[in-house]
Amino acid sequence: MSAEGTVMPNTQIDATREAAVPRAPLLEIVGIGKSFGHFRALKGCSLEIRRGETVVLIGPSGSGKSTLLRCVNLLEPADGGDIFFEGANITRDLANAPRIRREIGMVFQNFELFQHLSAAQNIMLAPMKVLGLSRSDAHDVALELLRKVRIPEKAEAFPDELSGGQQQRVAIARALAMKPKLMLYDEPTSALDPEMIREVLDVMADLSAEGMTSLVVTHEMGFARRAADKIVFMEDGQVVETAPSDAFFGGSVNERARRFLDQILH
Ligand SMILES: Nc1ncnc2c1ncn2[C@@H]1O[C@H](COP(=O)(O)OP(=O)(O)OP(=O)(O)O)[C@@H](O)[C@H]1O
Ligand SMILES: [Mg+2]
């Protein structure tokens, strides 16, 4: 939602160059296809996300939302089309997959925390193993992130001592610990009781407002109105509609998207 924080050394020259050559989107998905056996889960999906944008992805169950996120994160190999991250084609770049996954954080519906580790330890693990941080530095990072997700007092608690909303916020902090350039969220609040949904969405909305580029699968339309720049509607393995949030909620959407929106709002 906000401008990116890149500092340009020579503003005048760089500003001219930028105007002439629009900067590549952070993520560009071009005609991605994915089949499971004979079943085509994705049939040529395209979308792009610019730095600092939050894009909300909606659509009926089985439309391919999770599959699309998994392809972006290279958890699932796409079998057609291209995915560009920072302008580089990562679709078949398996050698670079670990780096890509470091730079793209993912938050799942069921948190997927390590049950035998405390909140702080869950967050410290990857920075220590992958980024080579010392235990003490990683602990500092964990405490700072737990403050950010508004549960500083839960550092030593284990997942089974936390509410679902708290566990999901630890999962978000764990993803943030790798300083990702893009966050993917796959229905992060759909396993939560209603009273916990808000606290998770508030943290996500704060991150978006601070400029964290995000692709969010959610049917929480209050969040979408508040935080999304763009709404993408998928159906049957295809992107059927992409619209700026204002236009989408203002009613400028095609018939299928409107029908789906009516269903989830009523
Ligand atoms: N590993 C797999 N093997 C076979 N079929 C799969 C696999 N993963 C997904 N599918 C199928 O691909 C289609 C898209 O699934 P996906 O999970 O992406 O949908 P979704 O939009 O995320 O749905 P939901 O809203 O229920 O989470 C579904 O029909 C699903 O059954
Ligand atoms: Mg899904």
Side-chain angles (χ1 to χ4, degrees), residues 4 26 30 47 64 108 129 142 162 193 214 256:
E4 66 168 329
L26 179 66
V30 187
L47 70 87
F108 302 89
K129 285 208 159 163
L162 297 171
D193 292 336
S214 306
R256 283 143 82 189

Side-chain angles (χ1 to χ4, degrees), residues 36 39 41 59-68 76 109 186-187 219:
F36 296 106
F39 178 73
S61 180
S63 55
K65 306 178 298 294
S66 296
T67 305
L68 186 64
E76 203 75 77
Q109 186 174 355
D186 194 356
E187 303 209 39
H219 291 152

